[in-house]
Amino acid sequence: MLLSVGVLASPAMAQEGGTIEVTNVGVVMETARGDSVVLDTIEPGTVLEVLDCDSPWYEVRAPRGSEGWRRGWLHQRYIQVLTAPTSSAKSPTAPTLKPRTSIRGFGQFGAIRFTAADSFDAVTGNSWGPMWGGGAQMAFSNGLFFQGSYERYQSTGQRVFVVDSQVFELGIENEITVTPIQVTVGYRQATSDRVVGYVGGGVGWHRLEEVAQLSDPAENVDETEIGYHVLGGMEYVVTPWLWVGGEGQWAYVPDILGNDGVSAAFDEDDLGGFTLRFKLTVGL
Amino acid sequence: MMRRSRLPFGALMTGAVVTALVLVSTGSGLGQQSDRAATRVLTPSPVPAINTGLLLEATDVQRLRETAVADGQYDTHPRFVPDQVIVKFTDASQGLASRGAAALGVGAVDVDYPAFGDFAVLALQTGADPLAVSDTLNERSDVEYAQPDYVRQPLFVPNDPFFHLQWNLTQVGVERAWDGNMGGTDAITVAVIDSGLAFEDAVIEFEAGAFTQDGRDYPALGTINVPFAAAFDLVSPNRIDQPFDFVWMDEHPVDLDGHGTHVTGTLGQLTNNAEGVAGVAFNVRLMPLKVLIGEWDFIFGGASMCCGAADSDIAAAIRYAAERGADVINMSLGGPDPSPVVDEAIRFAVGLDVFVAIAGGNSFEDGNPAIWPAAAAEDIDGAVAVGGVDRNSNRAFYSSTGSYIEIVAPGGDQRTDGFDGVLQQTPHPEFALTFFEPPSQFGPPRFDVMAYAFFQGTSMASPHVAGLAALLKSRGVSDPRVIEAAMKITATDLGEPGRDDEYGSGLVNMARALRGLGLAR
């Protein structure tokens, strides 16, 4: 029952059995974690029934019936506590959360600046290039996540000679494809109501394909080597099922370059580099 | 100079109304020959070459020549031109030179400045020692260098010709190279500094004097008409570019030996024409420059010595080629003495973006001396000394070794198998080199009978490299230093890992060189 309006309150004031009014757009989440699955979005003015409280989180029932958690930290910006606690409410102990695993899929697009900058610049005309791909992530309620991703870089340049660091182009097309398949383990942490930061690291299988015009298969390159990477990024919750984010990754992929070709001429043996990505994530 | 008179450039009669021309040169009459005016009259001929096909039974030219030398009948390998030295004055002393030969105080009787050179040729008193005179001149402050006019020899070991395919082209991956570069383009010209080229249909009138060989006297043939024909598997319309003969000093460097035609064939034999054999750069233009003196040049009085090429002519030919727009030069010749005048000419050519391929030498079993001008290439980026390998990619028995060998190419090895030489079209030696017949069977030669014959030597290896350079030039790689680096980077390493004195950077790999480098391969 609505008892009062416009009273600012702390979580301690809004005991279970009371109500709160959302004053700004917000979300109801599956668990009392900023990086858990978003169950619903709440429009300003919505009144929620408080089922439990674990400061700074409220367990609430949303108008459409879903039950979840709403952050009360700095809640003055987002909610007003409207009701007093009821006698039948449970004690304000921490909720018992079932450790649930969320599964998310993502697509990503970005650009890589290769560590072997001179080699890529000689053959493709650029030391950086676009990468796109996608993957899947399993996020656990304790913040850990595990993900697998697939990416692809492709550029068509030309065969060259390098003499005294000077590049001489031959006009023969040369297509380079780099395909990293990576697994990452990391940790996610909410930094605000809608923003989650994360860091991680892992290994990858980096496939390099190089196909020259008029060459036969034996003359082309198709090799895969293991590389290592670390990454970090931020996600922003757009809807209960959609996140957007930005991510940076540094990868080290030894042993695949530097034995022949222009990479040998430039003494560059690392196929890795620094990648900046835009990510679009969909939660299930 | 070796020849007492030479026609100036442009003095030749040309044009539709002129059907013959007369060239006159005089020989100095060394050895068994007497002084006489050397005359040759050229008449264009409509008669094409006669094709005898593959040469199955070879005239062993090398054996016959070695026999003649052993018998002391004539020196086929003179070290230098007698009574002659080359000298380059410092700029400030040109005035001194212009005061005349006598002012030099070394017994010089004449000074000549070749048309294509920055050096002078001093004619010495008969019997003077060119080595001693050179040493004396080198002591002078107004002399940059002086040297005898060394004689270079063609670097091939003629063969027992048996029928075989051109394993040499397969070995260096030329078929794959052609996939991306079909024989180069006619925008590229390759100068072949050699014994000339069978490049025109003509009848040339010569005066053939008497001579002695193998202790036998050969009679003078008098005035004879010698038929020449273009090598039909090598010459096509507009293929020949500014030919010049530095022996007869005219624009008709016909091949009186066969070496130059064979070398040029490996470089640029017409290909995919349902005829004979193939060459590496079969679409490029050819600039035949004759400097190598053969027996017939001597017998006909065009040269006062036999046989080989004088440094003064080689240097002039290199400069001629560079100034006349050649993109690549091949020199399948060499000798054991260093030559500043040739070295400078090579640097001059490279400075004009001309790539120079030089045979590395066939003297491994003869004490393995360094062979020049190949040895100079080691210090000149854009000039490459080429060694020879057999069909199994092993160093050929004759191929010289040393720090100056930069790369190797197929030269052949017929010591155990005659098929393992390099096959190309050349004037049939039995018709062309009749001076090897006994006097009773000796007769005028003819150079209009063509055969396919196996030769071996670094002479045969060098045009592979020149051909590859022409293909790279056709690809737009114009800097000879880059071409040299590209060849070395992409060569197939042989022998000791990395560069070594037997194989240099390895076996030239045409397919790889023309593919260039990718990111990882």
Side-chain angles (χ1 to χ4, degrees):
Chain A
M1 183 177 184
L2 192 64
L3 299 178
S4 64
V5 175
V7 179
L8 295 176
S10 69
M13 296 172 63
Q15 299 300 313
E16 51 275 12
T19 58
I20 57 175
E21 180 182 353
V22 176
T23 58
N24 207 336
V25 67
V27 294
V28 174
M29 311 188 81
E30 183 181 42
T31 63
R33 288 185 54 84
D35 58 342
S36 73
V37 176
V38 173
L39 302 176
D40 202 352
T41 55
I42 312 297
E43 295 302 317
T46 304
V47 175
L48 305 173
E49 179 186 354
V50 178
L51 303 176
D52 197 354
C53 180
D54 180 17
S55 179
W57 292 85
Y58 296 95
E59 186 176 22
V60 298
R61 177 177 293 118
R64 288 186 282 269
S66 60
E67 293 182 0
W69 291 82
R70 180 78 187 93
R71 182 183 216 112
W73 180 59
L74 295 178
H75 57 278
Q76 291 91 337
R77 290 172 49 202
Y78 305 112
I79 65 175
Q80 288 182 314
V81 177
L82 302 179
T83 65
T86 63
S87 57
S88 62
K90 294 182 288 185
S91 64
T93 55
T96 303
L97 300 175
K98 292 181 179 179
R100 296 179 59 185
T101 299
S102 62
I103 300 176
R104 310 192 306 167
F106 59 86
Q108 56 192 21
F109 177 81
I112 181 172
R113 204 250 182 206
F114 289 100
T115 304
D118 289 337
S119 300
F120 275 89
D121 189 35
V123 177
T124 69
N126 269 314
S127 58
W128 63 274
M131 293 197 84
W132 55 268
Q137 183 184 79
M138 297 177 69
F140 301 97
S141 58
N142 60 0
L144 290 176
F145 70 89
F146 173 85
Q147 75 176 29
S149 65
Y150 165 94
E151 275 189 302
R152 187 176 177 87
Y153 159 89
Q154 190 167 59
S155 179
T156 300
Q158 59 179 301
R159 311 285 291 186
V160 299
F161 283 121
V162 178
V163 178
D164 295 334
S165 297
Q166 264 193 290
V167 177
F168 299 88
E169 299 173 339
L170 291 180
I172 302 171
E173 282 192 2
N174 191 73
E175 184 180 78
I176 297 172
T177 305
V178 180
T179 312
I181 297 176
Q182 296 175 306
V183 293
T184 305
V185 176
Y187 181 77
R188 295 162 56 84
Q189 175 64 54
T191 59
S192 72
D193 188 48
R194 286 177 164 257
V195 179
V196 179
Y198 60 91
V199 294
V203 299
W205 290 263
H206 296 253
R207 182 181 184 186
L208 171 65
E209 296 168 275
E210 192 168 13
V211 179
Q213 182 185 12
L214 302 172
S215 60
D216 64 38
E219 295 169 330
N220 294 324
V221 176
D222 187 354
E223 295 181 20
T224 301
E225 290 290 343
I226 290 178
Y228 311 92
H229 66 274
V230 292
L231 55 79
M234 306 283 280
E235 283 185 344
Y236 179 79
V237 180
V238 178
T239 72
W241 50 271
L242 182 65
W243 291 257
V244 295
E247 181 178 285
Q249 173 187 289
W250 178 81
Y252 171 59
V253 188
D255 300 330
I256 201 166
L257 297 180
N259 297 317
D260 204 345
V262 296
S263 59
F266 285 116
D267 196 23
E268 294 178 321
D269 61 0
D270 183 1
L271 184 60
F274 183 75
T275 307
L276 281 175
R277 303 186 180 101
F278 170 77
K279 295 184 74 168
L280 198 63
T281 304
V282 178
L284 299 177
Chain B
M1 299 292 288
M2 278 184 301
R3 295 155 302 276
R4 286 205 293 265
S5 68
R6 289 169 161 168
L7 290 184
F9 297 109
L12 304 178
M13 292 182 287
T14 58
V17 297
V18 180
T19 57
L21 54 86
V22 178
L23 308 175
V24 179
S25 171
T26 58
S28 60
L30 291 184
Q32 65 277 23
Q33 284 194 297
S34 59
D35 283 347
R36 63 176 185 273
T39 302
R40 65 176 184 176
V41 180
L42 185 145
T43 305
S45 166
V47 181
I50 300 166
N51 180 15
T52 64
L54 196 67
L55 202 56
L56 295 175
E57 294 184 8
T59 300
D60 192 338
V61 177
Q62 183 68 9
R63 180 181 55 76
L64 291 169
R65 281 182 169 146
E66 287 174 353
T67 300
V69 174
D71 291 348
Q73 300 310 311
Y74 64 89
D75 182 6
T76 59
H77 298 84
R79 188 178 175 192
F80 44 72
V81 180
D83 308 330
Q84 192 163 297
V85 295
I86 296 170
V87 59
K88 182 180 180 183
F89 297 101
T90 59
D91 291 342
S93 65
Q94 293 295 335
L96 171 64
S98 67
R99 284 202 296 272
L104 296 171
V106 292
V109 297
D110 194 12
V111 179
D112 185 25
Y113 287 88
F116 291 94
D118 62 347
F119 54 88
V121 178
L122 299 185
L124 306 177
Q125 293 173 342
T126 302
D129 181 356
L131 285 169
V133 171
S134 296
D135 290 343
T136 301
L137 290 172
N138 276 319
E139 295 295 319
R140 296 175 60 112
S141 60
D142 55 355
V143 170
E144 188 171 324
Y145 62 77
Q147 62 157 85
D149 200 353
Y150 289 117
V151 175
R152 311 289 163 183
Q153 299 301 326
L155 294 178
F156 79 108
V157 180
N159 53 69
D160 294 321
F162 295 94
F163 175 82
H164 205 279
L165 298 176
Q166 290 178 281
W167 56 271
N168 50 308
L169 297 183
T170 303
Q171 185 180 45
V172 295
V174 74
E175 302 102 313
R176 297 284 301 122
W178 288 335
D179 287 344
N181 191 324
M182 192 55 80
T185 72
D186 61 6
I188 299 301
T189 297
V190 181
V192 181
I193 298 176
D194 212 287
S195 65
L197 177 66
F199 75 103
E200 60 183 341
D201 299 329
V203 173
I204 302 180
E205 181 183 285
F206 288 100
E207 286 290 324
F211 66 99
T212 302
Q213 180 172 255
D214 289 346
R216 295 173 297 198
D217 293 328
Y218 285 74
L221 297 175
T223 301
I224 57 175
N225 290 317
V226 180
F228 289 84
F232 50 85
D233 198 14
L234 180 58
V235 177
S236 59
N238 300 318
R239 190 145 202 232
I240 304 302
D241 182 19
Q242 303 175 82
F244 199 80
D245 190 327
F246 286 84
V247 177
W248 291 86
M249 294 305 288
D250 61 30
E251 295 170 332
H252 299 274
V254 290
D255 190 357
L256 296 175
D257 182 273
H259 182 268
T261 300
H262 195 284
V263 166
T264 308
T266 297
L267 168 75
Q269 198 85 359
L270 295 175
T271 300
N272 198 31
N273 60 344
E275 188 77 67
V277 291
V280 175
F282 49 84
N283 282 327
V284 302
R285 301 190 77 197
L286 303 170
M287 182 187 288
L289 302 176
K290 178 172 176 172
V291 297
L292 278 167
I293 297 164
E295 285 87 345
W296 282 120
D297 292 299
F298 177 60
I299 294 168
F300 291 155
S304 59
M305 62 142 212
C306 182
C307 298
D311 279 353
S312 54
D313 287 339
I314 297 170
I318 294 170
R319 290 173 178 272
Y320 173 98
E323 292 177 0
R324 298 296 175 100
D327 300 286
V328 177
I329 292 173
N330 184 80
M331 288 194 291
S332 290
L333 45 80
D337 299 293
S339 171
V341 69
V342 176
D343 295 356
E344 276 209 358
I346 294 172
R347 291 182 190 279
F348 172 78
V350 170
L352 293 179
D353 275 352
V354 181
F355 178 86
V356 183
I358 313 170
N362 301 333
S363 302
F364 182 77
E365 295 186 340
D366 298 320
N368 197 33
I371 297 298
W372 304 79
E378 180 182 8
D379 298 322
I380 303 175
D381 290 336
V384 172
V386 185
V389 295
D390 63 18
R391 67 183 307 152
N392 297 315
S393 298
N394 297 314
R395 182 183 62 79
F397 68 89
Y398 51 79
S399 185
S400 299
T401 65
S403 63
Y404 69 95
I405 296 296
E406 297 180 274
I407 207 163
V408 292
D413 181 351
Q414 297 176 274
R415 178 170 277 182
T416 56
D417 191 338
F419 294 130
D420 289 349
V422 174
L423 182 64
Q424 281 301 337
Q425 190 176 37
T426 189
H428 196 304
E430 289 187 2
F431 292 88
L433 308 181
T434 57
F435 48 79
F436 287 129
E437 301 292 335
S440 59
Q441 300 173 31
F442 172 64
R446 58 186 307 159
F447 296 90
D448 60 345
V449 181
M450 295 292 161
Y452 295 96
F454 290 98
F455 283 7
Q456 65 181 3
T458 53
S459 276
M460 282 64 249
S462 183
H464 290 85
V465 173
L468 173 57
L471 296 183
L472 285 167
K473 287 262 186 179
S474 300
R475 264 286 182 196
V477 184
S478 59
D479 190 330
R481 288 155 291 214
V482 175
I483 292 174
E484 175 176 340
M487 288 179 177
K488 291 178 176 177
I489 290 169
T490 57
T492 303
D493 192 18
L494 299 174
E496 297 290 325
R499 206 216 78 82
D500 60 68
D501 288 351
E502 280 194 286
Y503 301 98
S505 295
L507 176 64
V508 62
N509 186 328
M510 294 190 185
R512 194 150 183 259
L514 283 165
R515 286 181 71 237
L517 300 177
L519 189 65
R521 185 173 294 166

